Amino acid sequence: MENTTQTQMPLVKVSAVTKKFGGFTALSNVDLVIAPGERVGLIGPNGSGKSTLVNCISGMLKIDGGTIEFAGENISSLPPHARVHAGIARSFQIPRPFKTMSVFENIMVVLNFSGNDRKHADDTRTTEERALDIVQGVGLFGKKDHVSASLTQVELRKLELARAMAANPKVLIADEALAGLSGAEVDEILDLIMGMKEKGVSVLMIEHIMSAVMRFSERLVVLVAGNKIADGLPQDVINNPEVIKAYLGE
Ligand SMILES: Nc1ncnc2c1ncn2[C@@H]1O[C@H](COP(=O)(O)OP(=O)(O)OP(=O)(O)O)[C@@H](O)[C@H]1O
Ligand SMILES: [Mg+2]
């Protein structure tokens, strides 16, 4: 397998990031690099700091030390919306649609907020057409006029991903997009996330379902109690004794 990580400028570069909540250190000196188009899995026990790291990269939390770079620029102090505009999209562990809006309207909101100025110059579709294409792309066309509060769990997961994709990101950070789904539903959503690579999008996927993580990841990173304890080829990482002891052996 070709490894482009060392040769290309990283898209995301997290260097020595520390995050504290009062006296509690949720992340200590964490380094993480994501190459353009790369699929990286992030695993670790409950409370190990995975969502905190996502919140630091997306700008919802301020870091207490280190730097976060995106496409070569230090974005450590940019507010969340500026990071979305730069090309960082994330989905939430608990989907956060606008509940009283329809599926279609939920996508229109994102397109009007950030998707329009991130669209390709040669894209001649109207905003409505692009919204419908996105809705179709995640298999929600039949539900486009339904309010999101009426969706099933898997439909909500699809909408959450569609909202992230609508921002036309360079990197998608998916925080437990597969939680609570059945086996067939996991495959369906995983296919959607894996398909991002064809669009040149990097993906950081946080996930507890190991079969999905192993199918998805080109590289696997392990956080334990706010420390990165492994980062490498998935097969090597899951055979690492420290990883087995701290996480997989649970
Ligand atoms: N806003 C906050 N204020 C205080 N403590 C927090 C806050 N957010 C997270 N924490 C704490 O930081 C630690 C890491 O939490 P985080 O949500 O990042 O874990 P996680 O790896 O995503 O876990 P899970 O697999 O359960 O989603 C936990 O101990 C959590 O209680
Ligand atoms: Mg989490």
Side-chain angles (χ1 to χ4, degrees):
M1 188 167 57
E2 192 184 316
N3 184 352
T4 53
T5 314
Q6 278 80 34
T7 51
Q8 279 175 305
M9 179 170 81
L11 183 62
V12 176
K13 189 174 179 200
V14 170
S15 308
V17 161
T18 294
K19 176 65 197 174
K20 294 180 181 167
F21 295 112
F24 173 75
T25 303
L27 295 173
S28 46
N29 270 301
V30 172
D31 294 326
L32 175 70
V33 164
I34 308 172
E38 191 180 24
R39 288 199 308 257
V40 180
L42 176 61
I43 61 173
N46 293 117
S48 55
K50 304 179 298 296
S51 294
T52 300
L53 183 57
V54 176
N55 288 331
C56 289
I57 297 172
S58 64
M60 299 184 72
L61 288 174
K62 284 210 164 69
I63 56 178
D64 297 305
T67 55
I68 299 174
E69 288 167 70
F70 183 69
E73 304 221 1
N74 188 343
I75 60 160
S76 307
S77 53
L78 285 186
H81 65 87
R83 301 192 199 194
V84 174
H85 280 274
I88 300 175
R90 58 89 54 89
S91 66
F92 286 91
Q93 193 162 349
I94 297 165
R96 294 186 173 189
F98 296 105
K99 290 198 173 72
T100 59
M101 288 187 191
S102 71
V103 167
F104 173 75
E105 287 164 343
N106 262 283
I107 302 304
M108 285 296 287
V109 169
V110 180
L111 288 178
N112 286 322
F113 169 67
S114 62
N116 277 329
D117 38 87
R118 290 201 43 79
K119 79 172 179 162
H120 295 121
D122 57 359
D123 190 342
T124 56
R125 294 172 298 168
T126 64
T127 308
E128 286 78 8
E129 286 167 343
R130 288 196 299 129
L132 287 176
D133 283 349
I134 291 162
V135 170
Q136 174 106 49
V138 296
L140 286 178
F141 197 80
K143 291 280 171 110
K144 69 181 169 60
D145 298 321
H146 291 227
V147 291
S148 70
S150 72
L151 299 180
T152 64
Q153 182 69 9
V154 65
E155 288 165 351
L156 272 175
R157 295 278 172 199
K158 288 178 178 176
L159 178 59
E160 184 69 8
L161 276 179
R163 278 161 36 91
M165 288 172 190
N168 196 20
K170 289 185 186 146
V171 62
L172 168 72
I173 309 177
D175 194 356
E176 300 201 29
L178 310 175
L181 303 181
S182 72
E185 291 167 345
V186 164
D187 287 343
E188 211 181 326
I189 301 289
L190 193 58
D191 285 343
L192 285 175
I193 301 175
M194 306 255 308
M196 301 295 284
K197 193 180 173 87
E198 276 88 77
K199 301 188 177 86
V201 178
S202 306
V203 185
L204 178 65
M205 188 175 83
I206 291 138
E207 195 45 66
H208 285 288
I209 304 170
M210 280 312 292
S211 57
V213 170
M214 292 308 286
R215 210 185 117 200
F216 167 84
S217 306
E218 295 169 318
R219 192 154 53 80
L220 190 55
V221 175
V222 187
L223 271 185
V224 173
N227 292 283
K228 187 173 84 167
I229 64 160
D231 184 340
L233 291 174
Q235 274 306 328
D236 296 343
V237 168
I238 62 159
N239 289 311
N240 174 325
E242 201 187 344
V243 173
I244 293 169
K245 184 160 170 275
Y247 180 53
L248 298 172
E250 279 177 340

Short mmCIF file of all heavy atoms in Angstrom, two decimals, residues 40-67:
data_model
loop_
_atom_site.label_atom_id
_atom_site.label_comp_id
_atom_site.label_asym_id
_atom_site.label_seq_id
_atom_site.Cartn_x
_atom_site.Cartn_y
_atom_site.Cartn_z
N VAL A 40 -8.20 8.00 8.54
CA VAL A 40 -7.57 7.68 9.81
C VAL A 40 -8.64 7.28 10.83
O VAL A 40 -9.65 7.96 10.96
CB VAL A 40 -6.76 8.90 10.34
CG1 VAL A 40 -6.09 8.58 11.68
CG2 VAL A 40 -5.73 9.34 9.31
N GLY A 41 -8.42 6.18 11.52
CA GLY A 41 -9.32 5.76 12.58
C GLY A 41 -8.76 6.20 13.93
O GLY A 41 -7.55 6.18 14.13
N LEU A 42 -9.65 6.62 14.82
CA LEU A 42 -9.23 7.02 16.16
C LEU A 42 -10.04 6.22 17.17
O LEU A 42 -11.27 6.29 17.18
CB LEU A 42 -9.46 8.52 16.36
CG LEU A 42 -9.17 9.11 17.74
CD1 LEU A 42 -7.71 8.94 18.14
CD2 LEU A 42 -9.53 10.60 17.77
N ILE A 43 -9.34 5.42 17.97
CA ILE A 43 -10.02 4.58 18.96
C ILE A 43 -9.46 4.86 20.36
O ILE A 43 -8.41 5.49 20.50
CB ILE A 43 -9.88 3.06 18.64
CG1 ILE A 43 -8.41 2.62 18.64
CG2 ILE A 43 -10.55 2.74 17.30
CD1 ILE A 43 -8.21 1.10 18.49
N GLY A 44 -10.18 4.37 21.34
CA GLY A 44 -9.75 4.53 22.72
C GLY A 44 -10.93 4.31 23.65
O GLY A 44 -12.07 4.43 23.23
N PRO A 45 -10.66 4.00 24.92
CA PRO A 45 -11.75 3.74 25.86
C PRO A 45 -12.64 4.97 26.06
O PRO A 45 -12.25 6.08 25.70
CB PRO A 45 -11.01 3.42 27.17
CG PRO A 45 -9.60 3.16 26.82
CD PRO A 45 -9.33 3.88 25.53
N ASN A 46 -13.81 4.76 26.64
CA ASN A 46 -14.69 5.88 26.98
C ASN A 46 -13.93 6.87 27.85
O ASN A 46 -13.22 6.47 28.78
CB ASN A 46 -15.92 5.39 27.76
CG ASN A 46 -16.82 4.53 26.89
OD1 ASN A 46 -17.03 3.36 27.16
ND2 ASN A 46 -17.34 5.09 25.83
N GLY A 47 -14.07 8.13 27.53
CA GLY A 47 -13.44 9.18 28.34
C GLY A 47 -11.97 9.38 28.06
O GLY A 47 -11.28 10.08 28.80
N SER A 48 -11.44 8.77 26.97
CA SER A 48 -10.00 8.89 26.69
C SER A 48 -9.64 10.20 26.00
O SER A 48 -8.46 10.50 25.83
CB SER A 48 -9.54 7.69 25.85
OG SER A 48 -10.29 7.58 24.67
N GLY A 49 -10.65 10.97 25.57
CA GLY A 49 -10.35 12.28 24.99
C GLY A 49 -10.62 12.40 23.49
O GLY A 49 -10.28 13.42 22.88
N LYS A 50 -11.28 11.40 22.90
CA LYS A 50 -11.50 11.40 21.44
C LYS A 50 -12.38 12.59 21.02
O LYS A 50 -12.02 13.34 20.12
CB LYS A 50 -12.14 10.07 20.99
CG LYS A 50 -11.33 8.84 21.39
CD LYS A 50 -11.97 7.54 20.96
CE LYS A 50 -13.33 7.25 21.55
NZ LYS A 50 -13.34 7.07 23.03
N SER A 51 -13.54 12.72 21.67
CA SER A 51 -14.42 13.84 21.30
C SER A 51 -13.79 15.18 21.66
O SER A 51 -13.97 16.17 20.94
CB SER A 51 -15.78 13.70 21.98
OG SER A 51 -16.46 12.56 21.50
N THR A 52 -13.05 15.20 22.73
CA THR A 52 -12.35 16.44 23.11
C THR A 52 -11.38 16.85 22.01
O THR A 52 -11.31 18.03 21.64
CB THR A 52 -11.60 16.24 24.45
OG1 THR A 52 -12.56 15.90 25.46
CG2 THR A 52 -10.85 17.48 24.87
N LEU A 53 -10.66 15.88 21.45
CA LEU A 53 -9.74 16.18 20.36
C LEU A 53 -10.50 16.72 19.14
O LEU A 53 -10.08 17.70 18.51
CB LEU A 53 -8.94 14.92 19.99
CG LEU A 53 -7.87 15.09 18.90
CD1 LEU A 53 -6.85 16.16 19.27
CD2 LEU A 53 -7.16 13.76 18.62
N VAL A 54 -11.65 16.09 18.82
CA VAL A 54 -12.48 16.59 17.72
C VAL A 54 -12.92 18.03 17.99
O VAL A 54 -12.85 18.89 17.10
CB VAL A 54 -13.75 15.71 17.55
CG1 VAL A 54 -14.65 16.29 16.48
CG2 VAL A 54 -13.37 14.28 17.22
N ASN A 55 -13.33 18.29 19.23
CA ASN A 55 -13.78 19.64 19.58
C ASN A 55 -12.65 20.66 19.51
O ASN A 55 -12.89 21.82 19.19
CB ASN A 55 -14.40 19.63 20.99
CG ASN A 55 -15.75 18.93 21.00
OD1 ASN A 55 -16.46 18.91 19.99
ND2 ASN A 55 -16.11 18.35 22.12
N CYS A 56 -11.43 20.22 19.79
CA CYS A 56 -10.27 21.12 19.66
C CYS A 56 -9.97 21.41 18.19
O CYS A 56 -9.69 22.54 17.81
CB CYS A 56 -9.05 20.52 20.34
SG CYS A 56 -9.15 20.50 22.14
N ILE A 57 -10.06 20.37 17.34
CA ILE A 57 -9.76 20.56 15.91
C ILE A 57 -10.84 21.43 15.26
O ILE A 57 -10.54 22.30 14.44
CB ILE A 57 -9.63 19.21 15.17
CG1 ILE A 57 -8.44 18.40 15.73
CG2 ILE A 57 -9.44 19.42 13.67
CD1 ILE A 57 -8.35 16.96 15.20
N SER A 58 -12.10 21.20 15.65
CA SER A 58 -13.19 21.97 15.03
C SER A 58 -13.37 23.34 15.67
O SER A 58 -14.14 24.15 15.17
CB SER A 58 -14.49 21.17 15.06
OG SER A 58 -14.90 20.97 16.40
N GLY A 59 -12.67 23.60 16.77
CA GLY A 59 -12.67 24.93 17.36
C GLY A 59 -13.73 25.16 18.41
O GLY A 59 -13.91 26.29 18.88
N MET A 60 -14.45 24.11 18.79
CA MET A 60 -15.47 24.28 19.83
C MET A 60 -14.85 24.41 21.21
O MET A 60 -15.47 24.92 22.12
CB MET A 60 -16.46 23.13 19.80
CG MET A 60 -17.18 23.06 18.47
SD MET A 60 -18.41 21.79 18.46
CE MET A 60 -19.63 22.53 19.52
N LEU A 61 -13.63 23.90 21.34
CA LEU A 61 -12.88 24.06 22.59
C LEU A 61 -11.56 24.76 22.27
O LEU A 61 -10.94 24.49 21.24
CB LEU A 61 -12.56 22.68 23.19
CG LEU A 61 -13.70 21.89 23.82
CD1 LEU A 61 -13.19 20.50 24.22
CD2 LEU A 61 -14.30 22.60 25.02
N LYS A 62 -11.14 25.63 23.18
CA LYS A 62 -9.83 26.28 23.05
C LYS A 62 -8.78 25.36 23.66
O LYS A 62 -9.00 24.78 24.72
CB LYS A 62 -9.83 27.60 23.82
CG LYS A 62 -10.59 28.71 23.12
CD LYS A 62 -9.98 30.08 23.46
CE LYS A 62 -10.44 31.15 22.50
NZ LYS A 62 -11.88 31.46 22.68
N ILE A 63 -7.64 25.27 23.01
CA ILE A 63 -6.58 24.40 23.54
C ILE A 63 -5.73 25.16 24.55
O ILE A 63 -5.66 26.39 24.52
CB ILE A 63 -5.71 23.81 22.40
CG1 ILE A 63 -5.10 24.90 21.52
CG2 ILE A 63 -6.52 22.83 21.57
CD1 ILE A 63 -4.19 24.36 20.41
N ASP A 64 -5.12 24.41 25.47
CA ASP A 64 -4.30 25.03 26.51
C ASP A 64 -2.81 24.96 26.17
O ASP A 64 -1.99 25.55 26.87
CB ASP A 64 -4.56 24.35 27.86
CG ASP A 64 -6.00 24.53 28.31
OD1 ASP A 64 -6.44 25.69 28.39
OD2 ASP A 64 -6.69 23.53 28.53
N GLY A 65 -2.48 24.21 25.13
CA GLY A 65 -1.08 24.12 24.73
C GLY A 65 -0.98 23.44 23.38
O GLY A 65 -1.89 22.71 22.98
N GLY A 66 0.12 23.73 22.66
CA GLY A 66 0.33 23.12 21.35
C GLY A 66 -0.28 23.95 20.24
O GLY A 66 -0.70 25.09 20.46
N THR A 67 -0.30 23.37 19.04
CA THR A 67 -0.86 24.09 17.88
C THR A 67 -1.68 23.13 17.02
O THR A 67 -1.46 21.92 17.01
CB THR A 67 0.24 24.68 16.96
OG1 THR A 67 1.12 23.63 16.58
CG2 THR A 67 0.99 25.81 17.60
#
